[in-house]
Amino acid sequence: MLKVVVLVSGGGTNLQAIIDGVAAGTIKNVEIAGVISNNYGVKSLERAEKASIPAFCISPKDFDTREEFNNALLDRIDSLSADLVVLAGFLVRIPEAMVKKYSNRIINIHPSLIPSFCGVGYYGLKVHEKALERGVKVTGATVHFVNEGMDEGPIIAQKAVEVLEGDTPEVLQRRVMEQAEWILLPKAIDDFANGRLTVSDGKVLHKN
Ligand code: GRF
């Protein structure tokens, strides 16, 4: 069983897709060992508790320095014996020490087709605002391994989603979630857990 720790910041619909996938058996050989939020009182924590998954809040506000927060986060992940760390809408920059320690074992979902609309300042709803501002006709989502860069790690999977006339950022966000994120992220976890993903020379190779 692969132990997965999911990091979240908000609503947790991606977390829910993972919980549902494990329950339905479409994600095989995975145990969700814990969910960690950087924010108190978010729906993600409720979703974890409802599924009887150990849930923790580690907020930067509870620490004097960023370094102390980073250490507490890493300690918690270590104590859960994570084999894979999944960033499912986690709006905190991952500490360098964690990227090093969990190299090729941290994956992130980003709501655009990387390298478009990614990097510093592109998170959550902002990504969709920028896509609409630019007038793109197609957007989507990307699952990738996390490296030292911002949204720069090896790409695991991408799925395109149409932008429609009259879309608001909220409407587009929902379509990207439904048509891309909730499909791509569970599949990537299943592939990782069952030996179908390898990274070589910074590129992801898929086995069937
Ligand atoms: C998702 O769109 C994710 O790609 C982005 O933030 C959103 C989180 O949504 N990084 P949720 O918390 O999974 O509902």
Side-chain angles (χ1 to χ4, degrees):
M1 277 290 186
L2 188 93
K3 286 187 178 229
V4 174
V5 172
V6 186
L7 308 192
V8 293
S9 296
T13 60
N14 279 289
L15 167 66
Q16 192 64 54
I18 301 166
I19 293 173
D20 293 346
V22 171
T26 48
I27 302 176
K28 292 187 184 65
N29 300 317
V30 162
E31 176 200 340
I32 307 175
V35 169
I36 305 172
S37 168
N38 63 306
N39 289 320
Y40 286 100
V42 289
K43 182 113 192 254
S44 294
L45 291 170
E46 272 174 45
R47 293 179 193 272
E49 277 155 19
K50 203 167 163 209
S52 306
I53 297 164
F56 310 89
C57 180
I58 303 176
S59 166
K61 293 183 188 134
D62 294 336
F63 299 89
D64 290 334
T65 65
R66 197 67 182 184
E67 200 186 341
E68 285 174 47
F69 164 74
N70 286 345
N71 290 340
L73 183 63
L74 190 51
D75 285 351
R76 175 58 74 192
I77 292 168
D78 287 347
S79 75
L80 291 165
S81 310
D83 299 309
L84 176 70
V85 178
V86 175
L87 312 182
F90 189 56
L91 303 180
V92 169
R93 183 97 201 231
I94 297 303
E96 229 179 274
M98 184 170 146
V99 174
K100 280 213 174 74
K101 188 161 187 183
Y102 287 86
S103 170
N104 292 335
R105 289 193 294 147
I106 308 174
I107 65 175
N108 180 47
I109 178 89
H110 182 79
S112 77
L113 294 173
I114 290 175
S116 289
F117 307 109
C118 64
V120 179
Y122 288 90
Y123 58 88
L125 210 52
K126 286 203 190 309
V127 178
H128 304 292
E129 282 167 11
K130 302 272 187 196
L132 290 174
E133 255 170 52
R134 186 63 187 86
V136 294
K137 305 300 175 205
V138 173
T139 183
T142 303
V143 190
H144 64 94
F145 283 107
V146 172
N147 65 7
E148 301 74 24
M150 188 86 169
D151 299 326
E152 285 172 9
I155 291 174
I156 299 169
Q158 295 187 297
K159 192 164 186 290
V161 174
E162 239 187 308
V163 179
L164 301 179
E165 202 113 325
D167 272 351
T168 61
E170 290 79 7
V171 167
L172 183 57
Q173 179 182 50
R174 181 78 192 180
R175 190 178 313 116
V176 170
M177 284 174 159
E178 281 175 0
Q179 294 184 10
E181 296 185 45
W182 302 340
I183 300 162
L184 289 183
L185 189 57
K187 168 128 186 5
I189 296 169
D190 183 52
D191 284 347
F192 185 94
N194 294 286
R196 291 191 293 270
L197 289 186
T198 49
V199 187
S200 167
D201 283 339
K203 299 241 164 30
V204 175
L205 306 173
H206 289 257
K207 271 193 266 163
N208 287 318

